[in-house]
Amino acid sequence: MLTDTFLITGAGTGLGKGIAFALAKAGHKVIAGVETLSEVSAVTLEAEEQKLDLQVEKLDITDSVDRERASEWDIDVLLNNSGISEGGSLVDIPEERLRNQFEVNVFGTILLTQKVARNMIQKGRGKIIFMSSVSGLMADPLSGSYGGSKFALEGFAESLSKELQEFGVQVATINPGPYLTGFNDREFETWRTWQDDPSKRIFDYEQLAFPYEQFDPEKAVKAAVKVVTSEATSYRNVIPKAMAALIKKRQKDLWSRKTDDELGQRHDLVQKSMEIEPATSPIEGIVNKIKDKLTD
């Protein structure tokens, strides 16, 4: 019998909405937390059209009033999915945007988790999941703000898992790779709203795009649902699993990296950002590589 209540934050778009809808379709009791009232209306309407029993609530995790209201809900599983991504070099990104990156991805997430965790401790059971990223395990150029917030979240999650184990509360992370939800491409468009002097930027962001081919998000949703429902019980869950090997290699390489390695050369991912088209799928990436070889 399905009795657990799942709270999914950031469920207005992307993977969060996909996971919330998938859980509801499976008959679970789901609270879809969305940032704005307009999203409440839009997601509620979509759920009704699909004949899903889905509770949609305004939950801006940076709003203390919203967090307090959420603390009154009886939650068995919390998926901290809310997040934003501020792209750009750490030299260029404006202070207010950098701070906002951490307000949402780190502070808002942890402050909500504090309230939900206390209720779980009283019950002696529960599960808290952090939607991290492969960017929380390996850092790329032009995504330092986002990656830094996810690295911080990884530290919080690991500490929390050790603190809550004696109270019967589980903690896990989900680390998605690049999925085509629009999230990654929007990261490389945030510079358009910066209030700065463009002439002082060290990069021309008109020429840059997200430097990875992106996968079908449906596969990520299916894998994430297994973590949320505890069908998968690993603490760390890299999606797709094949990316784990790359992450481990990148982490190992740091131990032998020298400060003057490739000094004076443009990093490969910066170069790829200049060459790749936004929203490129893996198949398109392969086709483009073949075309490049044929024209060499």
Side-chain angles (χ1 to χ4, degrees):
M1 185 175 180
L2 303 175
T3 57
D4 283 348
T5 297
F6 298 80
L7 171 59
I8 315 298
T9 69
T13 59
L15 294 181
K17 186 172 79 170
I19 293 167
F21 275 56
L23 289 168
K25 286 177 183 177
H28 294 286
K29 182 178 180 180
V30 183
I31 302 176
V34 300
E35 184 182 4
T36 65
L37 288 174
S38 61
E39 285 182 313
V40 171
S41 300
V43 174
T44 299
L45 179 60
E46 188 173 347
E48 290 174 350
E49 289 173 347
Q50 296 186 32
K51 295 181 171 53
L52 295 178
D53 184 7
L54 182 68
Q55 180 180 343
V56 186
E57 299 282 352
K58 178 183 177 296
L59 178 52
D60 176 352
I61 63 171
T62 66
D63 185 330
S64 61
V65 175
D66 282 5
R67 292 196 302 264
E68 188 62 37
R69 191 163 59 89
S71 71
E72 300 172 0
W73 303 334
D74 186 13
I75 305 301
D76 298 293
V77 180
L78 167 64
L79 173 59
N80 284 306
N81 174 75
S82 289
I84 61 172
S85 184
E86 296 281 356
S89 167
L90 287 170
V91 175
D92 288 335
I93 190 168
E95 176 183 348
E96 69 273 12
R97 305 308 293 266
L98 183 60
R99 290 186 180 278
N100 189 53
Q101 175 76 89
F102 279 75
E103 284 295 336
V104 178
N105 289 14
V106 182
F107 299 119
T109 295
I110 297 304
L111 291 173
L112 174 65
T113 298
Q114 285 180 331
K115 295 183 177 298
V116 175
R118 288 187 182 278
N119 295 335
M120 290 180 176
I121 288 169
Q122 289 182 348
K123 293 193 296 184
R125 63 181 294 271
K127 187 170 186 178
I128 298 168
I129 305 156
F130 293 90
M131 184 65 81
S132 181
S133 169
V134 296
S135 294
L137 303 173
M138 61 181 193
D140 288 334
L142 308 173
S143 296
S145 172
Y146 177 68
S149 71
K150 292 300 187 179
F151 266 76
L153 203 60
E154 288 285 334
F156 279 114
E158 185 176 352
S159 290
L160 191 66
S161 69
K162 295 168 183 175
E163 294 165 357
L164 296 188
Q165 65 181 43
E166 66 180 278
F167 301 105
V169 179
Q170 302 175 54
V171 176
T173 69
I174 299 175
N175 299 77
Y179 284 92
L180 194 53
T181 63
F183 183 83
N184 300 311
D185 297 297
R186 288 194 297 271
E187 175 187 1
F188 276 72
E189 294 293 327
T190 56
W191 61 271
R192 296 184 184 278
T193 61
W194 291 357
Q195 301 298 308
D196 67 336
D197 182 352
S199 68
K200 294 183 178 179
R201 297 172 184 168
I202 67 171
F203 288 103
D204 178 1
Y205 295 102
E206 287 272 9
Q207 307 302 318
L208 302 176
F210 183 71
Y212 290 97
E213 289 79 13
Q214 301 177 65
F215 304 110
D216 177 3
E218 278 301 313
K219 294 181 179 179
V221 167
K222 291 179 181 178
V225 165
K226 291 181 180 180
V227 179
V228 175
T229 59
S230 293
E231 181 180 344
T233 57
S234 297
Y235 167 77
R236 174 170 289 157
N237 300 271
V238 174
I239 304 171
K241 290 183 179 180
M243 284 200 75
L246 171 63
I247 293 167
K248 291 175 182 178
K249 182 181 184 305
R250 289 269 299 267
Q251 291 174 335
K252 183 179 179 181
D253 287 347
L254 287 176
W255 290 95
S256 58
R257 179 178 170 82
K258 305 298 182 184
T259 58
D260 59 354
D261 284 350
E262 301 180 332
L263 205 61
Q265 301 177 39
R266 178 175 291 153
H267 192 277
D268 290 345
L269 283 174
V270 175
Q271 183 62 41
K272 188 172 180 181
S273 291
M274 295 178 172
E275 298 171 352
I276 196 171
E277 291 294 323
T280 298
S281 71
I283 293 176
E284 289 170 326
I286 292 171
V287 170
N288 290 337
K289 287 179 181 178
I290 293 173
K291 286 181 179 178
D292 289 342
K293 288 183 178 179
L294 292 174
T295 55
D296 284 345

